[in-house]
Amino acid sequence: MSRYHEIKHRVATTFQRHVGNPILVRLPAQPILETTGRKSGEPRRTPIGGRRVGRSFWIVSEFGEKSQYVRNIQADPRVRVRLKGRWHTGTARLLHEDDARARLKTLPTVNSAAVRAIGTNLLTIRVDLDD
């Protein structure tokens, strides 16, 4: 990763961790991804943007495998997703072969614009929902 991308990653994740995420996780309509912490074993909740299509929920991670929630998925792909206030269980799959930029065009506009603006290593994730 270039020095520029490393700085961009640190600034964005620091803002998300300390400002954005604590606010967004409290909003009832905000989609939330819950993973299991790979070290702690504790639930980790991350506000996300994405879209449900049938029995799948699609997300694009802006920092790919550097994102903490992606690392948690690699350790344990069983997740929960909160959509419209209701929790759904499922299995997350990292789709390296998917065109993440094209995928963003199918997801909510505001979040997709933010992911494109700050992202340095886009990665598509599909959560196959159990219900």
Side-chain angles (χ1 to χ4, degrees):
M1 180 178 279
S2 74
R3 179 86 175 122
Y4 169 75
H5 286 145
E6 184 61 35
I7 291 169
K8 193 175 182 182
H9 175 258
R10 284 186 187 174
V11 169
T13 57
T14 298
F15 176 81
Q16 288 169 338
R17 186 175 301 121
H18 298 291
V19 180
N21 290 0
I23 294 168
L24 292 174
V25 80
R26 290 184 175 96
L27 299 177
Q30 174 66 47
I32 304 291
L33 176 69
E34 184 180 85
T35 59
T36 301
R38 64 193 177 284
K39 295 178 184 176
S40 69
E42 297 294 321
R44 299 295 182 210
R45 291 183 175 178
T46 305
I48 53 170
R51 173 165 285 138
R52 183 173 184 164
V53 179
R55 292 185 56 171
S56 296
F57 188 78
W58 293 86
I59 309 163
V60 174
S61 168
E62 62 266 56
F63 299 115
E65 293 183 8
K66 283 197 73 145
S67 293
Q68 296 302 314
Y69 73 88
V70 173
R71 290 178 178 184
N72 290 342
I73 288 169
Q74 289 173 316
D76 181 357
R78 293 295 299 164
V79 300
R80 292 193 326 151
V81 180
R82 187 182 77 185
L83 303 172
K84 298 180 182 176
R86 182 170 172 247
W87 287 100
H88 304 267
T89 59
T91 303
R93 303 188 192 292
L94 307 181
L95 303 176
H96 296 281
E97 70 283 355
D98 192 68
D99 182 345
R101 289 204 175 275
R103 180 69 56 195
L104 282 172
K105 293 177 183 175
T106 71
L107 301 180
T109 307
V110 173
N111 182 74
S112 293
V115 169
R116 274 192 297 277
I118 66 171
T120 58
N121 188 24
L122 304 181
L123 174 62
T124 302
I125 301 163
R126 183 186 75 227
V127 178
D128 296 326
L129 301 171
D130 297 335
D131 56 350

